[in-house]
Amino acid sequence: YQRRVHGGTQVQIRLGKQRKVRAEEANPSCGIGLFNLPFSLTEESLQAFLHQFPGLQNVRLVYRKTGEFRGFAFAYFDTVEHASAAKEMLEGLTLGHQTVDVKFAAFPSEVALQLHRASVSEVPQSSNSSQ
């Protein structure tokens, strides 16, 4: 935390952890990552929105072990072409007051699902999400 005085009022600012190296964009794949999502977003609403894109296979929001949504999700498509088209259409998307950052997923859906299951214990899943 850093404290500053601004116009006679003390302001407390929390400084985030700074990354040393910016992550490189993953090669085109069947999956896309959607980052900087509103915390109020639900898996059902994101899935309903993404169903307009051909080839959508599944959508996974990422949660903390406490069950809190972490603000990002992954969507997987049947082909790299469908994922690329969705990524292109979603770039610049604003949800709420936040601009969504869209990148190709570094892992295929099976690997991502295994990593997700290993890092999260008993997080409620939506009843109508596709597997």
Side-chain angles (χ1 to χ4, degrees):
Y1 289 96
Q2 183 176 28
R3 295 179 188 265
R4 293 184 182 174
V5 176
H6 179 71
T9 304
Q10 187 173 356
V11 179
Q12 188 170 333
I13 301 170
R14 182 177 177 188
L15 302 175
K17 184 177 179 181
Q18 197 173 34
R19 293 185 180 183
K20 293 179 182 177
V21 178
R22 186 177 173 106
E24 284 188 31
E25 176 82 22
N27 291 328
S29 68
C30 290
I32 57 173
L34 302 154
F35 302 91
N36 197 35
L37 296 171
F39 290 110
S40 60
L41 188 73
T42 64
E43 189 166 340
E44 292 82 11
S45 63
L46 182 59
Q47 192 163 20
F49 175 73
L50 292 176
H51 265 291
Q52 67 183 301
F53 299 103
L56 181 69
Q57 297 292 303
N58 64 51
V59 176
R60 295 278 179 227
L61 272 65
V62 179
Y63 298 90
R64 289 185 169 83
K65 290 183 181 183
T66 61
E68 295 173 283
F69 176 47
R70 293 185 62 189
F72 63 97
F74 294 93
Y76 292 93
F77 296 84
D78 58 354
T79 66
V80 173
E81 291 77 20
H82 283 147
S84 296
K87 179 182 181 291
E88 186 176 314
M89 295 294 292
L90 290 167
E91 288 177 351
L93 172 70
T94 300
L95 291 177
H97 298 290
Q98 297 173 214
T99 301
V100 178
D101 187 18
V102 185
K103 298 180 184 208
F104 284 111
F107 299 106
S109 66
E110 300 82 23
V111 174
L113 186 56
Q114 289 171 353
L115 291 172
H116 175 72
R117 285 182 180 151
S119 67
V120 176
S121 61
E122 296 307 313
V123 173
Q125 295 293 318
S126 66
S127 58
N128 65 354
S129 67
S130 59
Q131 296 288 324

